[in-house]
Amino acid sequence: MINFRVDNKLAIVTGCNKGIGLDIAIALAENGADIIGVSSKMKESGQDVEKAVNAAGKKFYAYNADFTNRDSIYQFLKDVQQDHHKIDILINNAGHIMRAPAAEHPDEYWDTIIDINLNAQFIITREIGKQMIKNGYGKIVFTASLLSFQGGINVPGYAASKGAVSSLLKAFANEWAKYNITVNGIAPGYIATDNTAMLRADSDRNASILARIPSGRWGDPKDLAGGFVFLSSPASDYINGTILTIDGGWMGR
């Protein structure tokens, strides 16, 4: 029988207090995993995900970390690894987007996006990966983007970070497959979250986006959850260094 379950596993899900991360955490819990949730204010704003995880009969552990601050990241890593000696699944989901035309894109936007979307994810993966290597098992999934393949408009920092994530996960996969660790990514299409609120509010841009999506609608965060569970489960044991697009058909056009 193909095993899509993650029973008795412990999963870190970054950025799971809302949006895509919230539904990832809930889906993993519903399929058997305990959840470590981390964001800048997880302890203050993680009540919804904690209740949902507990309702699925699983444990939830909340940690705060500022992904733009390396001291904060390393403190989180110290704390979580002292508390939990076997982390089985890492979902690198936390991300941010800041919009401005390339010629006007300030250094502050660039630095913030690269710190959150790339630097923090590299550091967390490297450090949690050391534990996974020691334990001889791990499932790592990055939230990539359609802009891992395309350039986008008015988001050069975001496009650069997500393009880099595409190569970064392959680099980890190449080195760690021999330790029974898989490293993959999921590239969401246009999903109705806070990050896309500006696009959906722009009637012309919204119409042009919907015109290209064969499914004819914006995605819901729940549309992504099954893919993350799959890549976190034994069913994906021979999948490594790849990115699954969940986009309503966008990349097929």
Side-chain angles (χ1 to χ4, degrees), residues 15-248:
C16 68
N17 55 323
K18 61 182 180 179
I20 292 170
L22 173 63
D23 281 292
I24 296 170
I26 293 170
L28 287 170
E30 289 175 343
N31 283 276
D34 293 321
I35 305 298
I36 295 168
V38 55
S39 71
S40 59
K41 296 182 179 179
M42 181 59 66
K43 293 181 179 180
E44 296 81 8
S45 62
Q47 294 88 352
D48 289 345
V49 64
E50 181 173 11
K51 288 178 182 177
V53 169
N54 292 159
K58 306 308 296 183
K59 296 177 182 177
F60 182 81
Y61 308 93
Y63 292 82
N64 286 356
D66 178 353
F67 296 120
T68 67
N69 183 300
R70 292 198 181 189
D71 289 340
S72 179
I73 295 167
Y74 282 112
Q75 186 62 53
F76 156 67
L77 288 164
K78 178 182 177 181
D79 292 343
V80 77
Q81 292 190 92
Q82 283 180 344
D83 295 343
H84 307 282
H85 301 297
K86 189 175 187 295
I87 296 164
D88 305 289
I89 299 164
L90 170 61
I91 308 294
N92 282 308
N93 171 72
H96 192 45
I97 192 167
M98 302 178 83
R99 303 178 188 277
E104 303 164 17
H105 209 77
D107 290 352
E108 293 78 10
Y109 280 23
W110 177 272
D111 291 343
T112 296
I113 296 306
I114 296 299
D115 277 341
I116 295 172
N117 294 4
L118 182 59
N119 294 338
Q121 297 195 24
F122 168 70
I123 293 169
I124 292 170
T125 303
R126 182 190 65 201
E127 296 305 310
I128 298 301
K130 291 176 184 178
Q131 188 192 100
M132 291 178 169
I133 289 170
K134 182 179 178 181
N135 292 329
Y137 181 85
K139 293 282 187 176
I140 301 172
V141 189
F142 287 79
T143 299
S145 170
L146 295 183
L147 298 195
S148 296
F149 313 104
Q150 301 173 324
I153 299 171
N154 296 331
V155 287
Y158 185 83
S161 70
K162 292 300 185 178
V165 160
S166 173
S167 292
L168 179 62
L169 70 87
K170 295 179 179 70
F172 280 125
N174 289 341
E175 294 192 32
W176 292 355
K178 63 186 176 184
Y179 301 113
N180 197 30
I181 298 169
T182 64
V183 189
N184 294 291
I186 286 183
Y190 284 88
I191 309 298
T193 66
D194 291 348
N195 280 350
T196 59
M198 289 180 62
L199 297 178
R200 287 178 284 121
D202 181 330
S203 58
D204 291 338
R205 194 75 193 281
N206 184 60
S208 68
I209 289 169
L210 288 175
R212 176 168 168 166
I213 301 172
S215 294
R217 66 173 177 88
W218 285 78
D220 185 277
K222 290 182 175 61
D223 292 322
L224 306 172
F228 280 93
V229 172
F230 167 58
L231 290 177
S232 300
S233 77
S236 63
D237 281 351
Y238 200 60
I239 299 173
N240 216 349
T242 195
I243 297 177
L244 171 65
T245 56
I246 302 179
D247 61 359

